[in-house]
Amino acid sequence: MRAARLIKMVLLLQSRPSMTGAELARELEVSERTVARDVLSLSEAGVPVYADRGRAGGYRLIGGYRTRLTGLGRSEAEALFLSGVPGALRQMGLADAASAARLKVSAALLPELRDAATGAAQRFHLDAPAWYKEPETPGLLPAIAEAVWSDRRIAARYLRKAKGGERTEVRRELEPYGLVLKAGVWYLAARAEGDFRVYRIDRFTAVDVLDDGPGAFTRDASFDLPAFWAERAAEFARSILRTQVVLRLSEPGVRVLPHVTETAAAREAIDAARAAGGPDADGRLTVTLRVESDEVAYSQLLALGPEGEVLAPAALRDRLAAAARRTAALYGSDRGDRGDRGA
């Protein structure tokens, strides 16, 4: 641990003209007294660290000293390619590897190029979770990520959804191929019994990374994670849209529909309706929309308000009509007058 900290200190000083004791302590997550002791140890080992005294003082390397400890290890190199997603790195337990990799790259760059990493960070940031949702890190994610990076099988217990809706715990031995972060939810692409499948990380209840001997597996070189995920995501979206709803939409309703229902299904419905004849004399477009269920459609289509009218199925139309009447009652004139008088 201390050896790694000393190496990191040298790399930090090599990548910058000078650093104060407070800055080094913050970067290394130690006290300033520990920084002073580490500097002394480096000096005794022959690393030319010079301490400038005074209020503007700090530590710097002298004589153009450059360490040769800048070669990237495998985990550092892999983490470097993910450095644009710091939240995901932290959740997978790779933040330290990425930090070391960035330091090594900075130390190897010419002085005039050392602001490249800062410049990139100021110009690009990926915020993966969806709006209005607090991201949660599955407790077993770091262990699964370790197995993915090291090509090791895992013995896992997983909550599988049964036909009745309840979840039952099953045991699976998996070859973990890749991780996907979708709208703040982590998924594992893994091979089980010869087939590739997708598992939600937060539904794993236990994970054991198997030993090197029986645990290691040989990857299928033809496996393409982005292509596999795109295919399964499209397949999943199609599989859950089992019900149809007929809607009559105003122009604002047409614009809003892709934002309140499944986007691809909404755009497909709108394009088909326009190709079939377009809006009616009132400027409204009648679309046939694929939805997951009447229950889901009810919660989604409420957001359209008066910009969308359900024509079928009748039960859904009646339910939305009842909701509209209750809403109108809440905003009745007598209630509004009482509110004005109370103000």
Side-chain angles (χ1 to χ4, degrees):
M1 181 68 178
R2 184 164 184 259
R5 189 175 71 241
L6 292 174
I7 292 172
K8 187 172 182 179
M9 179 182 286
V10 173
L11 292 171
L12 283 167
L13 293 173
Q14 185 172 311
S15 64
R16 306 178 193 182
S18 68
M19 295 183 70
T20 66
E23 289 172 336
L24 282 169
R26 186 167 54 252
E27 290 279 356
L28 299 171
E29 299 180 348
V30 296
S31 66
E32 292 188 48
R33 180 172 296 182
T34 299
V35 168
R37 287 199 297 266
D38 287 350
V39 167
L40 181 60
S41 297
L42 287 172
S43 297
E44 291 173 350
V47 178
V49 182
Y50 180 78
D52 291 315
R53 306 297 178 185
R55 294 179 61 184
Y59 299 99
R60 60 185 175 88
L61 293 172
I62 60 175
Y65 178 85
R66 301 186 67 80
T67 177
R68 297 186 179 184
L69 298 173
T70 52
L72 293 177
R74 173 174 291 275
S75 63
E76 294 168 344
E78 290 170 337
L80 185 61
F81 286 105
L82 293 170
S83 58
V85 283
L89 282 168
R90 285 193 299 272
Q91 293 179 18
M92 288 189 290
L94 295 172
D96 289 342
S99 175
R102 285 192 294 269
L103 279 172
K104 289 183 177 183
V105 170
S106 295
L109 292 174
L110 294 172
E112 60 267 25
L113 298 178
R114 286 179 186 159
D115 64 345
T118 302
Q122 290 173 341
R123 289 165 174 80
F124 174 75
H125 174 69
L126 176 63
D127 186 7
W131 285 105
Y132 313 120
K133 291 185 179 179
E134 192 67 27
E136 296 183 3
T137 304
L140 296 173
L141 176 60
I144 295 173
E146 177 189 350
V148 169
W149 295 118
S150 60
D151 293 341
R152 303 260 300 281
R153 289 184 180 87
I154 59 174
R157 293 193 175 278
Y158 185 80
L159 293 176
R160 184 181 63 183
K161 189 174 182 179
K163 290 184 178 180
E166 70 278 3
R167 300 196 181 279
T168 57
E169 189 177 69
V170 295
R171 187 184 184 279
R172 293 287 184 268
E173 187 170 307
L174 307 173
E175 295 178 355
Y177 267 67
L179 294 166
V180 175
L181 178 59
K182 169 73 171 180
V185 179
W186 284 94
Y187 297 88
L188 172 68
R191 184 162 59 184
E193 300 175 354
D195 294 327
F196 285 102
R197 303 172 186 174
V198 175
Y199 301 85
R200 275 185 61 143
I201 300 292
D202 58 7
R203 292 181 186 162
F204 284 99
T205 59
V207 170
D208 290 321
V209 181
L210 301 182
D211 294 335
D212 287 333
F217 69 92
T218 302
R219 281 178 165 264
D220 181 346
S222 66
F223 179 76
D224 183 333
L225 180 60
F228 169 78
W229 175 258
E231 179 183 341
R232 289 303 172 91
E235 182 182 301
F236 173 74
R238 288 192 301 270
S239 70
I240 65 172
L241 302 179
R242 304 185 184 95
T243 302
Q244 288 189 340
V245 173
V246 181
L247 291 168
R248 189 166 174 261
L249 302 169
S250 67
E251 187 54 39
V254 170
R255 291 196 297 269
V256 171
L257 187 66
H259 301 286
V260 299
T261 63
E262 206 281 321
T263 302
R267 297 198 185 283
E268 178 184 305
I270 292 168
D271 291 344
R274 283 175 172 160
D280 58 21
D282 295 327
R284 290 189 170 247
L285 187 70
T286 300
V287 304
T288 301
L289 175 71
R290 293 182 297 118
V291 296
E292 183 175 346
S293 65
D294 285 356
E295 185 66 32
V296 171
Y298 172 76
S299 63
Q300 293 174 336
L301 299 179
L302 277 173
L304 292 175
E307 308 304 334
E309 176 191 3
V310 171
L311 303 179
L316 180 58
R317 177 183 173 87
D318 291 344
R319 189 175 178 189
L320 284 165
R325 288 193 292 271
R326 293 198 305 272
T327 302
L330 290 175
Y331 290 92
S333 58
D334 58 333
R335 184 181 294 269
D337 291 342
R338 287 200 301 272
D340 291 340
R341 288 195 298 270

